[in-house]
Amino acid sequence: MTSEAAAPNHAVSATGAAAFFDLDNTLIQGASLFHLARGLAAHRFLSGREVAKFGWDQFTFRMRGERAGQLETTRNRALSFIAGHTASELVQICHDIFDDYMESKIWPGTRALAQAHLGRGEPVWLLTAAPTELAQIVSDRLGFSGALGTVAERVDGVYSGRLCGQVLHGPAKGAAMRALADREGYRLSSCHAYSDSANDLPMLTAVGYPHAVNPDHRLKQYAVKQGWPVVEYRAGVRFLRVGLPAAAGIGATAGAVSAGVALRRAGRRRAEVTRH
């Protein structure tokens, strides 16, 4: 599997802990590929009809989570749209996409969770099936430690319409996280991971502190059964946080409270391990 990191090396926290965040429906509302499609349309890379197809996928993703085969279909369409264009073109468009569409779609609570980890001196990484160019820009703008994303093949700086390796999704994302932790010296038993999708169970089950954020039905069932923290920011969906009262609220406050509780528990657990 091939993936790219936004930076080569980062200081390791004293506990060996780090935090790994999914992007779509975890850090931002909806699917990043829809926002990418809007940006490509603004630069005349694709038509309004094609954007409408992405829009429908976005709607169903927000309402029901990821459907079988949806990622593959959407990824193939996106690759075909950037084929023949240069990497520098896409990077500039991704900067515009973050400014125009994505920044306002960031869930305040998830951002607060990430900032809580950074405040403790723990590296924070973004792991996503989105293009690595977009992942790196989101990571840089939010002050994260780095990003891993799906890598599109370039030939002499021009996109070929093919991938390098696999889409960073499911088992591939879990394997990328393990390789990253090994390279950077993180202890996965001390790490946190955040995702909305049962497809990310390979990532979530590999860390000591998994969290479900805006979970799909399968992940919510699994998380509740396992006693994992569950955070729900979407309007009209009951807020559930294992170990916290429902009155904790939604948004930045809920995110900060969730982070504080989870991180304090992690600290106590590490202290107990150290004493024994």
Side-chain angles (χ1 to χ4, degrees), residues 191-224:
C191 290
H192 294 248
Y194 300 82
S195 179
D196 70 299
S197 174
N199 291 313
D200 280 338
L201 283 172
M203 176 178 79
L204 293 167
T205 56
V207 300
Y209 303 95
H211 304 257
V213 180
N214 301 322
D216 60 27
H217 181 68
R218 284 178 55 216
L219 178 58
K220 186 171 182 178
Q221 283 190 322
Y222 188 92
V224 170

Side-chain angles (χ1 to χ4, degrees), residues 9-154:
N9 263 301
H10 303 276
V12 181
S13 67
T15 61
F20 307 100
F21 284 81
D22 174 51
L23 179 60
D24 294 354
N25 250 7
T26 302
L27 181 61
I28 66 166
Q29 300 174 37
S32 55
L33 282 178
F34 171 66
H35 301 304
L36 178 62
R38 295 171 71 188
L40 293 175
H43 289 78
R44 303 184 185 280
F45 279 37
L46 67 164
S47 69
R49 183 175 181 178
E50 289 161 337
V51 173
K53 292 179 181 178
F54 276 97
W56 177 250
D57 288 344
Q58 165 85 341
F59 174 76
T60 58
F61 179 63
R62 289 284 300 278
M63 294 299 104
R64 300 197 296 262
E66 186 180 308
R67 295 171 297 161
Q70 183 179 27
L71 177 72
E72 184 75 11
T73 300
T74 305
R75 185 264 295 174
N76 288 337
R77 290 211 307 267
L79 281 172
S80 70
F81 297 144
I82 67 171
H85 292 279
T86 66
S88 59
E89 285 180 281
L90 184 61
V91 168
Q92 183 54 57
I93 290 172
C94 287
H95 278 289
D96 294 340
I97 288 167
F98 182 85
D99 292 335
D100 296 340
Y101 308 123
M102 293 182 68
E103 188 170 23
S104 63
K105 298 297 184 181
I106 294 171
W107 292 110
T110 310
R111 189 171 191 169
L113 287 164
Q115 290 301 318
H117 284 288
L118 291 170
R120 287 171 59 94
E122 296 171 352
V124 171
W125 286 81
L126 186 65
L127 275 63
T128 174
T132 188
E133 293 84 356
L134 184 59
Q136 290 175 356
I137 287 166
V138 174
S139 172
D140 290 345
R141 294 295 190 89
L142 297 182
F144 290 0
S145 308
L148 299 177
T150 299
V151 182
E153 182 185 71
R154 305 175 196 172

